[in-house]
Amino acid sequence: MAGKRRGKGSSREQSPYAELMAGIRVVVSESIERIYNENCQNLGILTTTDFGLIERIRSGEPISLSEFTAGTDDITRQIIEYGGLFEFNMARLQGQVTLPAPRRTPRPMTLGEKIFARKWVIDAAEGRIGTDHAEPGEAGFFRADIRFSHEYVTPMAAIFFEQKLGADAKVLDPDSILFFRDHLTFLHKVMSQERIEQGLLAVANELEVKQREFSEKQGIRLYGEQQGHVMGSEAICHSKILEDYAEPGMLIIGTDSHTPHAGAVGALAFGVGTTAIFNSWITKDVRARIPPSFKVVVDGTLPANCTAKDLMLEILRPPYVRDGHAIGQIIEYAGPVVERLSVDERATMTNMAAEVGAFTGLVAADDRTVEFLIQERGMDPAWAKAMVADVHSDPGAEYVKVIEIDASRLRPMVALPGDPGNGLYIDELAEPVPIEIAYAGSCTAGKKEDMDMYARVFREARDRWGRGVHPDVKCYIQCGSTDVREYAREQGYLDLFRAIGAEFIEPGCGACIAAGPGITRSPDQVSVSSQNRNFPGRSGPGQLYLVSPYSVAASAVAGRVVGWEPGPRRPHPFSESSVPPTPPGAPR
């Protein structure tokens, strides 16, 4: 039995299997996180929000399976009745189960609905893919163009695969599967000696070994650790997917909540659990129920010192998002401001669909997408232009909600510790917030354009004012891939970062998941970061403020949380004597 949002966080992967092995067969909770719930269903664990079943189970009353399938779609019902997704899929691939057919009522579709329709597996046994129409609420299996996982999840999925199919079984189409060693590369730098002595670091390292051995055996491309004296990963998973693999109109699944990163080029990318990725290695498809879409339209002109990150902290504030109404929906970003954003900046917004609680985030493919495909991928211009055709929503498509934002009114934002939705303008802070750590990076803010932003602020501070990182601040800059690192090297940024007193860190997830340099060590430490979330304990026990790339660099120089103000105004460094007295009754 559990309380609200059972399975939220990384426990959604390990908990179901641990519970199964512990003999648990029924989980009762007030609300249940999507991927955790799917993992339970896929493993044969029954889940319910009906606490009335508890006494009936205790009394030994026979309980019908219909108590657990009521209100589910037809596919989920059958998976539960078959005792798991693997057992159901074996019957499906042999043509022994009946799946609901797509509705064929012509209607304007959103971009998400279009991609679902094009990837719908109509008949797995016969290999028929695609339909003309799809609408929210319909459930089916959908062909994945790319399937990826990282070392936190791959080993468990590999164990499932070998247990169910045998040690010599082969995955289907290994060329469209990718593995990543990115989450725990720097864990040894921050794990306490006590936990190391308990054997936890050794266990974490076993995950890397299992993933590497499975990838070699299956012939799957692994982006692993860098070789030689340089530490770090080759790339963060969803960073590399966008850099080199995602294409407009693709359907991409990955074992990370920030898989929607690839939505920046009009790909439908969403996170899945261990059991779903394991089954996709057998079937090359994924089960989903098409979510409704809502749209965020950004008009006006984005101020020079604001970024897509400021936009996202603003988008997290409306009641529709703040009160959880957007959970499980597709968020589509649109409007003149979004159309002018680069693909890197769009990726910040689609990445943070996870913080909205959305199923995924999307931006329609357009001329900006074509530029990205040509410049970053070396794609033939004619091919790139053809690729973006019709990767947009239809006129008249239905949205459950449209949120309009005037970017012209935006000012640099900050999310107060505890939740990315705790946003306010930095100039609304009741008093100065001195910092000890500035962390610039993560998948959300470790892209090429993010490096441009850090460098712009630091170069101005150095060249105009002779300033660098504040002496009371430890500043870390971490990129999302070795490609970004080499870009930063070519631009002279690495020399600049070193000169102003920042420490550059090789690619990896690191501080964002309390597994690398940049974390706080005590509850009273304060850090500022351009990463995507600041839930309690996310980056250590301290107080974490979320800001944009511009603002994290400016804060590192000032020694307190500030927004960047381009131009001739001299930044004032923080000192205790500069703190004005707090008026009686003012918030602290």
Side-chain angles (χ1 to χ4, degrees), residues 42 79 84-91 164-165 278-279 282:
N42 295 346
I79 289 171
L85 181 58
F86 174 78
E87 292 74 13
F88 172 82
N89 266 332
M90 291 301 97
K164 293 289 188 180
L165 284 88
F278 142 62
N279 274 276
I282 305 167

Side-chain angles (χ1 to χ4, degrees), residues 186-192 436-439 474 476 478 505 509-522 525-529 531 537-544:
F186 292 97
L187 185 61
H188 64 286
K189 281 184 166 287
V190 296
M191 183 176 280
S192 68
E436 294 181 52
I437 297 170
Y439 174 77
K474 184 67 176 175
Y476 302 90
Q478 189 167 27
I505 310 173
C509 293
C512 185
I513 56 169
I519 65 169
T520 53
R521 296 287 188 172
S522 62
Q525 272 195 304
V526 177
S527 63
V528 66
S529 176
Q531 67 193 55
R538 175 75 183 184
S539 295
Q543 302 299 302
L544 175 60

Side-chain angles (χ1 to χ4, degrees), residues 341-482:
L341 291 177
S342 67
V343 167
D344 269 5
E345 281 284 79
R346 293 176 181 185
T348 297
M349 301 182 74
T350 56
N351 176 292
M352 290 189 66
E355 280 58 62
V356 172
F359 179 83
T360 191
L362 280 168
V363 177
D366 57 10
D367 290 343
R368 282 285 198 176
T369 316
V370 172
E371 291 174 9
F372 173 83
L373 294 173
I374 295 171
Q375 295 173 7
E376 299 297 322
R377 305 271 185 84
M379 192 174 289
D380 176 75
W383 182 253
K385 290 178 182 178
M387 191 170 285
V388 306
D390 200 32
V391 184
H392 57 77
S393 295
D394 293 329
E398 295 181 6
Y399 298 90
V400 294
K401 179 75 173 179
V402 176
I403 297 173
E404 296 181 353
I405 292 177
D406 180 3
S408 303
R409 304 174 59 139
L410 200 64
R411 305 196 299 277
M413 296 280 299
V414 59
L416 303 182
D419 195 295
N422 293 336
L424 72 161
Y425 297 128
I426 291 177
D427 57 28
E428 293 177 334
L429 288 169
E431 59 185 38
V433 178
I435 62 172
E436 294 181 52
I437 297 170
Y439 174 77
S442 84
C443 58
T444 317
K447 307 178 296 297
K448 291 180 180 179
E449 190 159 346
D450 300 311
M451 298 296 130
D452 293 339
M453 294 181 198
Y454 304 137
R456 183 178 181 186
V457 176
F458 287 136
R459 183 173 286 135
E460 180 181 88
R462 183 196 64 180
D463 295 348
R464 187 183 292 272
W465 311 114
R467 298 269 298 281
V469 172
H470 191 282
D472 295 336
V473 175
K474 184 67 176 175
C475 179
Y476 302 90
I477 301 174
Q478 189 167 27
C479 59
S481 71
T482 53

Side-chain angles (χ1 to χ4, degrees), residues 62-81:
I63 308 293
S64 169
L65 271 182
S66 63
E67 299 274 8
F68 300 95
T69 60
T72 63
D73 60 78
D74 190 50
I75 291 176
T76 301
R77 175 187 60 78
Q78 293 186 70
I79 289 171
I80 293 172
E81 291 175 348

Side-chain angles (χ1 to χ4, degrees), residues 106 182 197 503 518 534:
D182 59 1
E197 292 174 359
E503 179 181 340
N534 62 342

